[in-house]
Amino acid sequence: MNFRVASSPHNHVKNKTSRVMALVALACIPGIITQVWYFGFGTLFQILLAVSTAIIAEALCLQQRDYPVKKRLKDNSALLTGLLLGISLPPLAPWWIAVIGSLFAIIIAKQIYGGLGQNIFNPAMAGYVALLVSFPLSMTLWLPPLSLVEYDITLFDTLMLIFTGYSETGYSLAQLRVDLDGFTMATPLDTVKTGLTNQQTFSELSQLKIFSEQLGIGWTAVNLAYLFGGLVLIWMKVISWRIPLTFLVSLFLLSWVAHVVSPDGAASASLHLLSGATMFGAFFILTDPVSASTTPRGKIIFALLVALLVFLIRQYGGYPEAIAFAVLLANMCVPLIDYYTKPRVYGHAAR
């Protein structure tokens, strides 16, 4: 009987990188379908633009570094980066938003650091934050759910809005965001953030059309869809349960305490969990195997830190959505977290 002798580390994970990336991408499908159902076909076009640009940028970088392009592209990392970024963008954002964001994610946040496995920041979130800081107006023009929009938006209208800024009938995106009563609608988190800043109470804000039982219309279903996809990934052992569970429980407790202490000055815990990119971030962004902590205790500390940052930014910061900023800030702490949470070497006596 022949035995193979090799030095450590001994990796017993059967999944290849390409398969893991593909499974994560497939798990996004329920969430993508739900986004399209509530917010239109723009999400699909943003994904197509982001994925195409990411793959092209990755190929050019690999070619310049004399790496085998076809072999490296088969790891599906560029595809997943483009997919995650495309999902995060407003469905009707100008076409160049997805292109610039993908170029930044691949070239600046990934390849400059050495490529897959060497980047310290999550590439998709780095691209997203770069866009949010550089083009805040374009990045915050989310449409309300289609059921609340006054005008029907066809597939051709979607293409026209993305590439020209106007629909076939001449309506701009700003006009399409106005409901029947002349009120310009924003995302639930943005509505709460703006309203609380203007001295309105959470109870008053929850009566607006975009809310139903204090939950955002459309956004609740989207978050539940990504929750389903994330649970599938855990069941298939593609990702660990530690980061998503710790993050969601911590965010729930922080927001619940804040709401109990100040019911009119803080959003409910359910709104925090089921609005914005909470579930998408918990299962598909925080669990990035490269930029997140890799030790068992480190994963819990990393998730706790992200949850705290998300709560603080949403409650007291200038942006209503905080997942991307919180993840990048926590990414910077990962080397320190991993250093102090390294498991004790087997057979090493405790001091």
Side-chain angles (χ1 to χ4, degrees):
M1 189 174 184
N2 296 325
F3 293 93
R4 181 182 177 185
V5 180
S7 62
S8 61
H10 306 288
N11 189 356
H12 298 286
V13 178
K14 296 181 180 179
N15 288 335
K16 294 182 179 180
T17 300
S18 58
R19 185 171 185 270
V20 170
M21 298 290 180
L23 288 174
V24 174
L26 289 173
C28 289
I29 291 178
I32 294 172
I33 292 174
T34 311
Q35 277 188 237
V36 172
W37 177 264
Y38 281 99
F39 300 103
F41 291 102
T43 297
L44 295 180
F45 292 117
Q46 298 296 342
I47 290 173
L48 181 61
L49 286 167
V51 169
S52 301
T53 305
I55 291 175
I56 293 172
E58 180 97 335
L60 292 174
C61 289
L62 292 172
Q63 186 180 47
Q64 291 299 312
R65 300 175 66 186
D66 293 326
Y67 286 154
V69 176
K70 290 184 179 180
K71 182 179 179 180
R72 291 297 183 97
L73 285 179
K74 288 181 180 179
D75 64 17
N76 294 324
S77 62
L79 181 149
L80 183 60
T81 296
L83 177 68
L84 297 179
L85 178 62
I87 289 172
S88 305
L89 299 177
L92 298 179
W95 63 271
W96 45 267
I97 286 287
V99 173
I100 294 175
S102 296
L103 290 174
F104 187 95
I106 296 297
I107 299 174
I108 306 298
K110 181 182 178 183
Q111 288 298 331
I112 281 184
Y113 284 94
L116 181 63
Q118 307 298 320
N119 51 288
I120 64 173
F121 297 108
N122 184 294
M125 292 300 96
Y128 179 86
V129 167
L131 291 171
L132 190 58
V133 172
S134 304
F135 312 104
L137 181 60
S138 297
M139 288 293 291
T140 54
L141 291 178
W142 280 83
L143 273 182
L146 295 181
S147 59
L148 300 179
V149 177
E150 182 178 0
Y151 307 101
D152 291 332
I153 303 176
T154 65
L155 180 62
F156 187 69
D157 284 329
T158 301
L159 280 170
M160 291 286 292
L161 284 162
I162 291 174
F163 288 97
T164 69
Y166 293 90
S167 68
E168 183 182 11
T169 51
Y171 291 109
S172 67
L173 182 56
Q175 290 173 308
L176 294 174
R177 296 178 71 224
V178 178
D179 67 8
L180 293 170
D181 298 326
F183 179 74
T184 300
M185 289 183 285
T187 64
L189 288 176
D190 193 24
T191 299
V192 170
K193 179 64 131 182
T194 304
L196 293 178
T197 302
N198 294 331
Q199 306 303 315
Q200 291 179 275
T201 66
F202 178 70
S203 299
E204 293 172 341
L205 295 169
S206 61
Q207 303 302 313
L208 298 176
K209 287 183 178 181
I210 200 169
F211 294 100
S212 175
E213 302 297 328
Q214 295 190 349
L215 295 176
I217 296 176
W219 292 94
T220 302
V222 169
N223 274 273
L224 291 176
Y226 283 115
L227 170 62
F228 172 77
L231 292 176
V232 171
L233 290 178
I234 292 177
W235 175 70
M236 297 182 68
K237 298 183 178 179
V238 175
I239 62 174
S240 169
W241 57 268
R242 286 181 175 85
I243 289 178
L245 181 62
T246 303
F247 170 73
L248 294 174
V249 171
S250 301
L251 182 59
F252 172 81
L253 292 175
L254 288 168
S255 53
W256 178 76
V257 170
H259 188 66
V260 169
V261 173
S262 178
D264 290 332
S268 64
S270 56
L271 184 67
H272 274 283
L273 289 183
L274 296 175
S275 288
T278 302
M279 294 298 172
F280 176 66
F283 293 98
F284 297 94
I285 302 300
L286 274 72
T287 55
D288 177 24
V290 177
S291 58
S293 181
T294 56
T295 65
R297 284 186 299 159
K299 291 178 179 179
I300 294 175
I301 296 172
F302 173 77
L304 282 169
L305 177 59
V306 175
L308 176 61
L309 290 170
V310 167
F311 171 75
L312 291 176
I313 295 172
R314 284 182 176 180
Q315 184 68 22
Y316 305 107
Y319 290 93
E321 181 52 86
I323 295 292
F325 287 103
V327 167
L328 294 184
L329 291 171
N331 285 161
M332 292 189 288
C333 303
V334 165
L336 190 64
I337 294 172
D338 283 350
Y339 179 80
Y340 284 105
T341 59
K342 288 185 296 186
R344 188 162 57 89
V345 178
Y346 181 74
H348 188 275
R351 294 181 180 179

Short mmCIF file of all heavy atoms in Angstrom, two decimals, residues 234 239-247 282-283 287 299-300 303:
data_model
loop_
_atom_site.label_atom_id
_atom_site.label_comp_id
_atom_site.label_asym_id
_atom_site.label_seq_id
_atom_site.Cartn_x
_atom_site.Cartn_y
_atom_site.Cartn_z
N ILE A 234 -24.38 27.14 3.58
CA ILE A 234 -23.97 26.54 4.86
C ILE A 234 -24.26 25.04 4.86
O ILE A 234 -23.44 24.23 5.31
CB ILE A 234 -24.69 27.24 6.03
CG1 ILE A 234 -24.20 28.67 6.17
CG2 ILE A 234 -24.47 26.48 7.34
CD1 ILE A 234 -24.91 29.47 7.25
N ILE A 239 -19.59 27.63 3.05
CA ILE A 239 -19.18 28.68 3.98
C ILE A 239 -19.44 28.20 5.40
O ILE A 239 -20.22 27.27 5.63
CB ILE A 239 -19.95 30.00 3.73
CG1 ILE A 239 -21.45 29.80 3.94
CG2 ILE A 239 -19.66 30.54 2.34
CD1 ILE A 239 -22.26 31.08 3.85
N SER A 240 -18.77 28.84 6.34
CA SER A 240 -18.96 28.51 7.75
C SER A 240 -20.14 29.27 8.33
O SER A 240 -20.44 30.39 7.91
CB SER A 240 -17.69 28.84 8.54
OG SER A 240 -17.91 28.77 9.94
N TRP A 241 -20.79 28.69 9.31
CA TRP A 241 -21.94 29.34 9.94
C TRP A 241 -21.52 30.44 10.91
O TRP A 241 -22.33 31.30 11.27
CB TRP A 241 -22.76 28.31 10.72
CG TRP A 241 -21.97 27.57 11.77
CD1 TRP A 241 -21.31 26.38 11.62
CD2 TRP A 241 -21.72 28.00 13.11
NE1 TRP A 241 -20.67 26.03 12.78
CE2 TRP A 241 -20.91 27.00 13.73
CE3 TRP A 241 -22.09 29.10 13.88
CZ2 TRP A 241 -20.47 27.09 15.04
CZ3 TRP A 241 -21.65 29.20 15.19
CH2 TRP A 241 -20.86 28.20 15.76
N ARG A 242 -20.26 30.43 11.34
CA ARG A 242 -19.84 31.33 12.41
C ARG A 242 -20.01 32.80 12.06
O ARG A 242 -20.55 33.58 12.86
CB ARG A 242 -18.36 31.06 12.77
CG ARG A 242 -18.14 29.77 13.53
CD ARG A 242 -16.67 29.58 13.87
NE ARG A 242 -16.45 28.41 14.70
CZ ARG A 242 -16.30 27.17 14.22
NH1 ARG A 242 -16.35 26.98 12.91
NH2 ARG A 242 -16.11 26.16 15.04
N ILE A 243 -19.56 33.20 10.88
CA ILE A 243 -19.62 34.61 10.53
C ILE A 243 -21.06 35.09 10.32
O ILE A 243 -21.47 36.09 10.92
CB ILE A 243 -18.75 34.90 9.29
CG1 ILE A 243 -17.26 34.79 9.65
CG2 ILE A 243 -19.05 36.29 8.72
CD1 ILE A 243 -16.32 35.02 8.48
N PRO A 244 -21.88 34.43 9.49
CA PRO A 244 -23.25 34.93 9.31
C PRO A 244 -24.07 34.94 10.60
O PRO A 244 -24.75 35.93 10.88
CB PRO A 244 -23.85 33.94 8.30
CG PRO A 244 -22.69 33.32 7.61
CD PRO A 244 -21.61 33.27 8.63
N LEU A 245 -24.00 33.86 11.38
CA LEU A 245 -24.79 33.79 12.60
C LEU A 245 -24.36 34.84 13.61
O LEU A 245 -25.20 35.54 14.19
CB LEU A 245 -24.68 32.39 13.22
CG LEU A 245 -25.49 32.18 14.50
CD1 LEU A 245 -26.97 32.36 14.23
CD2 LEU A 245 -25.21 30.79 15.10
N THR A 246 -23.06 34.98 13.81
CA THR A 246 -22.56 35.97 14.76
C THR A 246 -22.95 37.38 14.34
O THR A 246 -23.38 38.20 15.16
CB THR A 246 -21.03 35.88 14.89
OG1 THR A 246 -20.67 34.55 15.27
CG2 THR A 246 -20.51 36.86 15.92
N PHE A 247 -22.79 37.67 13.04
CA PHE A 247 -23.13 39.00 12.54
C PHE A 247 -24.61 39.31 12.73
O PHE A 247 -24.97 40.39 13.24
CB PHE A 247 -22.77 39.09 11.06
CG PHE A 247 -23.28 40.32 10.37
CD1 PHE A 247 -22.71 41.56 10.60
CD2 PHE A 247 -24.36 40.24 9.49
CE1 PHE A 247 -23.20 42.70 9.98
CE2 PHE A 247 -24.85 41.37 8.87
CZ PHE A 247 -24.27 42.60 9.12
N ALA A 282 -24.23 39.34 4.94
CA ALA A 282 -23.93 38.31 5.93
C ALA A 282 -23.42 37.02 5.31
O ALA A 282 -22.48 36.39 5.82
CB ALA A 282 -25.17 38.03 6.78
N PHE A 283 -24.03 36.59 4.21
CA PHE A 283 -23.71 35.29 3.64
C PHE A 283 -22.79 35.34 2.43
O PHE A 283 -22.09 34.35 2.15
CB PHE A 283 -25.01 34.57 3.25
CG PHE A 283 -25.86 34.19 4.41
CD1 PHE A 283 -26.93 34.99 4.81
CD2 PHE A 283 -25.61 33.03 5.12
CE1 PHE A 283 -27.72 34.64 5.89
CE2 PHE A 283 -26.40 32.67 6.21
CZ PHE A 283 -27.45 33.48 6.60
N THR A 287 -18.28 36.49 4.25
CA THR A 287 -17.69 35.15 4.25
C THR A 287 -16.61 34.96 3.19
O THR A 287 -16.18 33.83 2.95
CB THR A 287 -18.79 34.10 4.03
OG1 THR A 287 -19.51 34.41 2.82
CG2 THR A 287 -19.77 34.08 5.18
N LYS A 299 -13.15 34.41 13.27
CA LYS A 299 -14.37 34.63 12.49
C LYS A 299 -15.45 35.28 13.34
O LYS A 299 -16.18 36.17 12.88
CB LYS A 299 -14.88 33.31 11.91
CG LYS A 299 -13.99 32.73 10.82
CD LYS A 299 -14.53 31.40 10.33
CE LYS A 299 -13.63 30.85 9.21
NZ LYS A 299 -14.10 29.54 8.71
N ILE A 300 -15.55 34.85 14.59
CA ILE A 300 -16.56 35.42 15.49
C ILE A 300 -16.22 36.87 15.81
O ILE A 300 -17.09 37.75 15.79
CB ILE A 300 -16.66 34.57 16.77
CG1 ILE A 300 -17.22 33.18 16.43
CG2 ILE A 300 -17.54 35.25 17.81
CD1 ILE A 300 -17.25 32.22 17.60
N ALA A 303 -16.90 39.05 12.72
CA ALA A 303 -18.32 39.29 12.52
C ALA A 303 -18.88 40.25 13.55
O ALA A 303 -19.73 41.10 13.24
CB ALA A 303 -19.08 37.96 12.57
#
